[in-house]
Amino acid sequence: MSDIASGDGENPSSATASPKRRRAGQFSELVAAANQHVDVIGAIRKARASLPGDPSFGDPLSVSGPGGPRAVARAADKLAGDSPSAAKELGLGALQVWQAMLERVGRGKGTTEVTLLFTDLVSFSRWSLSAGDEATLELLRAVASAIEPPIVDRGGQVVKRMGDGVMAVFASPDSAVRAVLTAKRNLAAVDMDGYRPRMRAGLHTGSPREIGGDWLGVDVNIAARVMEAGGNGKTMISETTLAALDERTLTDLGVVAKPYRRGVFAAPLNGVPDGMRLFRLVTDRGDRDRGERGD
């Protein structure tokens, strides 16, 4: 009793457990140190570069938008915080591979060939300055009601709205052409106090990359430049889109593709590869796109 009371005695079980606890503590410290070690983190990041998928997966650009891997990555980022760690890189590496697998089976859109559509209203900015905010908003709602349903009905996806225009993506170039011509017919019925909006449109087929619900890459830039060639209301397509169309599509729609010739004083189309030919869609009865009131 006196030994115990004085603290000289030792519980046998605690004496046995103490070295185990010490070893566990030392191991935990070792793991924690490795988790924060710059060289370890760098080695894992280097290894991620050889894995399938985007090695930068985990940054804000790549994890925004829909999808299981992105949702998990956003949640993990909130839990792990901004500090780099080996565990965080390992987790992102796993999500990177998961996202790549989804893309391969068609659920993540990776390098799948798609047709991109850009639209823009002719002289909209000048009209909106004099019309005012209320009339401008009312017009934009009417335009959206005219052009967006045909996009969705033809299997397209509106990626984003850019003021008076949209960017959309289609799995099929034929569906894209049908959608844009229907949209222009619908738009012909829109009248806002005497202002009848005209829309220029550009279609280009390529393999952009979907990141965070948006589409990025050279083909996106080309599609936007093809639209700019539409001037005062033309429907333009690139040679890649024309080549990808079913040979019956244009005939069924009553339109033909005529080679685009840049005006003598027109500025060159920056962003379009040298040698890429552009075409404008016109009705086979004249130089007007179906649904347009003239070039």
Side-chain angles (χ1 to χ4, degrees):
M1 286 291 294
S2 60
D3 290 342
I4 296 175
S6 63
D8 293 338
E10 185 175 357
N11 189 324
S13 61
S14 64
T16 303
S18 182
K20 292 181 179 179
R21 285 199 297 268
R22 283 199 297 269
R23 286 195 295 272
Q26 291 170 351
F27 180 74
S28 297
E29 291 174 1
L30 189 64
V31 171
N35 190 43
Q36 301 296 328
H37 199 284
V38 175
D39 291 341
V40 176
I41 296 172
I44 297 174
R45 285 177 176 170
K46 187 175 181 180
R48 284 184 61 191
S50 62
L51 293 175
D54 180 8
S56 297
F57 187 84
D59 62 7
L61 183 64
S62 62
V63 300
S64 62
R70 297 187 181 110
V72 173
R74 290 194 296 269
D77 186 64
K78 289 182 179 180
L79 294 174
D82 296 330
S83 300
S85 70
K88 183 177 181 179
E89 290 298 326
L90 287 172
L92 290 174
L95 293 173
Q96 168 188 332
V97 174
W98 180 14
Q99 178 68 15
M101 291 174 63
L102 291 180
E103 291 177 353
R104 283 186 181 176
V105 298
R107 292 175 56 193
K109 306 277 191 320
T111 56
T112 303
E113 186 174 81
V114 296
T115 296
L116 298 153
L117 164 68
F118 277 86
T119 71
D120 186 32
L121 296 183
V122 178
S123 302
F124 169 79
S125 297
R126 185 167 61 247
W127 172 84
S128 64
L129 285 174
S130 60
D133 291 345
E134 186 174 343
T136 297
L137 181 58
E138 187 176 351
L139 174 72
L140 290 177
R141 285 174 173 159
V143 170
S145 297
I147 70 173
E148 292 189 19
I151 293 174
V152 176
D153 291 345
R154 292 292 181 180
Q157 174 194 355
V158 176
V159 178
K160 52 188 168 186
R161 299 167 182 85
M162 301 165 291
D164 58 322
V166 300
M167 172 188 174
V169 63
F170 295 82
S172 161
D174 303 273
S175 296
V177 169
R178 293 179 184 278
V180 73
L181 294 183
T182 301
K184 297 189 84 167
R185 284 200 299 272
N186 292 349
L187 189 64
V190 175
D191 187 330
M192 182 60 61
D193 298 327
Y195 173 68
R196 300 174 67 86
R198 287 182 296 162
M199 184 178 76
R200 56 181 176 173
L203 292 165
H204 172 64
T205 301
S207 300
R209 182 166 183 81
E210 188 198 18
I211 299 180
D214 199 356
W215 293 80
L216 306 174
V218 173
D219 287 310
V220 176
N221 296 331
I222 293 174
R225 298 297 179 265
V226 172
M227 181 269 293
E228 289 179 2
N232 59 352
K234 301 180 181 70
T235 300
M236 308 295 297
I237 64 173
S238 68
E239 63 181 5
T240 56
T241 299
L242 182 60
L245 287 174
D246 186 293
E247 59 183 11
R248 296 166 296 182
T249 297
L250 297 185
T251 302
D252 291 346
L253 293 170
V255 297
V256 295
K258 290 197 170 184
Y260 165 73
R261 295 181 178 86
R262 185 168 58 88
V264 176
F265 300 105
L269 289 174
N270 295 323
V272 176
D274 293 338
M276 175 175 281
R277 301 178 67 199
L278 304 184
F279 297 82
R280 60 191 180 102
L281 298 183
V282 300
T283 63
D284 54 10
R285 296 182 302 278
D287 284 347
R288 294 187 176 186
D289 290 7
R290 176 170 288 189
E292 287 185 15
R293 289 175 296 281
D295 295 345

